[in-house]
């Protein structure tokens, strides 16, 4: 089905002042499995709100829209696409963001809520937060409502049957693009590393994991929740392979040296904390 494009945006200062602006709603859909859409997200999709969804190029397929389609919901005839090109050209990006923000303000000026479809969680490495900020720069009084969702790494840990963190363990989530030197350093600081978007650096990361003896405690997950989801525990066999853009690595370092923990209430000045018994009661663990 061919879906309509938003008409060319007006300049921000030429948008007529409406009686009220609609709300901009970031609807988190989870990373791929429609059953992970929350009840609140589902209600927003079935509300009177108009849908908007991100694409890399005009009239190109949208991963977020596909999640909604596979949920069984009918795509509204007036759903619109917003173009966010995959480029590092600063000028092109600035123009694209300005255009998308102005288009969004135009739609909200109709007084109707706009539900922006987000893969994963709208607060985690999401286009939505950039869009919301750009929209508020144009019209500060616009209300933004963010609906939380399941992140790709939480879903990946579940399908891989792994714990991201237990009791007092620590974890970090970083884009793999920071490089192997940073990853190598963080392996000594955290019990679990989530490496996002590993496609360009798979072989380099695998070499690091082999050198550190961590391949057996690592897991690769690609397109989690999608029909073509892939989970690889034997990560060494990925060497030389071109993986999908939507892929991540969960890396655990069970041999990491840990420092002492301070439990309970803060000790008074000059008073040493009570020695740890090595056990944790309910509520003392680190949550992420």
């Amino acid at each position: 089905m061919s879906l309509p494009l938003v008409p060319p945006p007006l300049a921000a200062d030429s948008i007529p002042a409406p009686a009220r602006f609609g709300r901009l709603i970031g609807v988190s859909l989870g990373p791929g499995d429609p059953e992970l859409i929350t009840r609140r997200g589902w209600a927003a999709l079935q509300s009177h709100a108009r849908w908007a969804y991100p694409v890399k190029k005009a009239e190109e397929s949208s991963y977020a829209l596909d999640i909604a389609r596979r949920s069984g919901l009918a795509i509204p005839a007036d759903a619109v696409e917003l173009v966010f090109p995959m480029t590092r050209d600063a000028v092109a990006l600035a123009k694209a963001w300005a255009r998308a923000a102005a288009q969004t303000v135009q739609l909200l000026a109709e007084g109707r809520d706009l539900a922006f479809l987000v893969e994963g969680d709208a607060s985690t490495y999401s286009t939505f937060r950039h869009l919301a900020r750009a929209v508020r720069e144009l019209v500060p009084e616009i209300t933004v409502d963010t609906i939380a969702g399941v992140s790709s790494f939480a879903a990946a840990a579940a399908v891989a049957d792994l714990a991201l963190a237990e009791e007092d363990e620590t974890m970090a989530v970083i884009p793999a693009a920071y490089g192997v030197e940073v990853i190598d350093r963080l392996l000594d600081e955290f019990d679990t590393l989530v490496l996002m978007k590993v496609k360009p650096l798979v072989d380099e990361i695998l070499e690091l994991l082999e050198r550190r003896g961590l391949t057996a405690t690592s897991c690769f997950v690609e397109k989690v929740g999608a029909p073509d989801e892939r989970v690889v525990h034997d990560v060494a066999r990925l060497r030389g392979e071109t993986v999908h853009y939507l892929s991540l690595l969960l890396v655990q370092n069970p041999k990491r040296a840990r420092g002492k923990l301070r439990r309970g209430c803060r000790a008074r000045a000059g008073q040493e904390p009570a020695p740890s018994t090595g056990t944790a009661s309910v509520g003392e663990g680190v949550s992420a």
Side-chain angles (χ1 to χ4, degrees):
M1 177 175 64
S2 178
L3 295 170
L5 292 171
V6 177
L10 302 171
D13 58 3
S14 65
I15 297 173
R20 62 172 292 274
F21 282 98
R23 291 179 304 155
L24 175 59
I25 308 171
V27 183
S28 301
L29 304 176
D33 182 353
E35 293 188 0
L36 295 181
I37 299 174
T38 66
R39 291 179 64 178
R40 188 175 169 206
W42 186 261
L45 293 176
Q46 293 187 303
S47 70
H48 181 63
R50 189 173 190 174
W51 288 16
Y53 57 92
V55 295
K56 299 173 186 176
K57 297 178 182 178
E59 300 185 29
E60 190 177 61
S61 62
S62 166
Y63 191 76
L65 186 66
D66 185 58
I67 296 173
R69 179 186 288 111
R70 288 189 283 108
S71 75
L73 289 176
I75 300 173
D78 62 353
V80 297
E81 64 178 29
L82 296 177
V83 178
F84 302 95
M86 293 290 289
T87 178
R88 295 192 179 278
D89 184 322
V91 174
L93 281 174
K95 289 180 178 179
W97 280 111
R99 184 181 304 110
Q103 290 173 340
T104 300
V105 170
Q106 271 187 271
L107 292 169
L108 294 173
E110 297 175 4
R112 184 179 172 190
D113 292 346
L114 185 67
F116 185 80
L117 308 187
V118 183
E119 62 193 65
D121 171 62
S123 299
T124 310
Y125 298 120
S126 169
T127 299
F128 177 70
R129 295 314 312 175
H130 295 284
L131 177 63
R133 184 164 54 248
V135 165
R136 277 176 163 165
E137 287 175 356
L138 294 177
V139 185
E141 63 266 31
I142 285 178
T143 298
V144 175
D145 186 5
T146 304
I147 299 177
V150 178
S151 64
S152 60
F153 51 87
V159 300
D161 194 23
L162 297 173
L164 287 173
E166 295 184 83
E167 295 184 355
D168 298 305
E169 292 178 344
T170 58
M171 64 171 286
V173 182
I174 68 166
Y178 276 100
V180 291
E181 291 184 3
V182 172
I183 295 170
D184 190 22
R185 184 169 70 250
L186 292 179
L187 285 171
D188 294 321
E189 300 294 330
F190 296 92
D191 298 286
T192 299
L193 279 187
V194 179
L195 304 178
M196 306 290 290
K197 300 177 181 177
V198 297
K199 178 179 178 178
L201 295 173
V202 170
D203 285 353
E204 294 177 54
I205 295 172
L206 290 178
E207 290 176 5
L208 170 64
L209 298 180
E210 290 173 1
R211 186 168 71 250
R212 297 287 300 259
L214 297 175
T215 55
T217 54
S218 300
C219 182
F220 170 87
V221 183
E222 182 178 78
K223 299 188 71 175
V224 62
D228 50 350
E229 165 189 286
R230 185 166 64 129
V231 179
V232 179
H233 287 277
D234 181 12
V235 297
R237 66 185 179 88
L238 295 170
R239 184 181 292 276
E241 182 177 329
T242 299
V243 302
H244 194 274
Y245 172 76
L246 296 175
S247 58
L248 57 82
L249 269 166
L250 304 174
V251 182
Q252 297 180 318
N253 184 7
K255 301 177 182 179
R256 186 182 76 86
R258 299 178 181 86
K260 293 182 179 180
L261 297 173
R262 171 178 286 186
R263 302 184 185 280
C265 298
R266 185 190 298 261
R268 294 179 181 177
Q271 180 181 345
E272 290 295 324
S276 170
T277 62
T279 61
S281 62
V282 175
E284 287 183 328
V286 176
S287 61

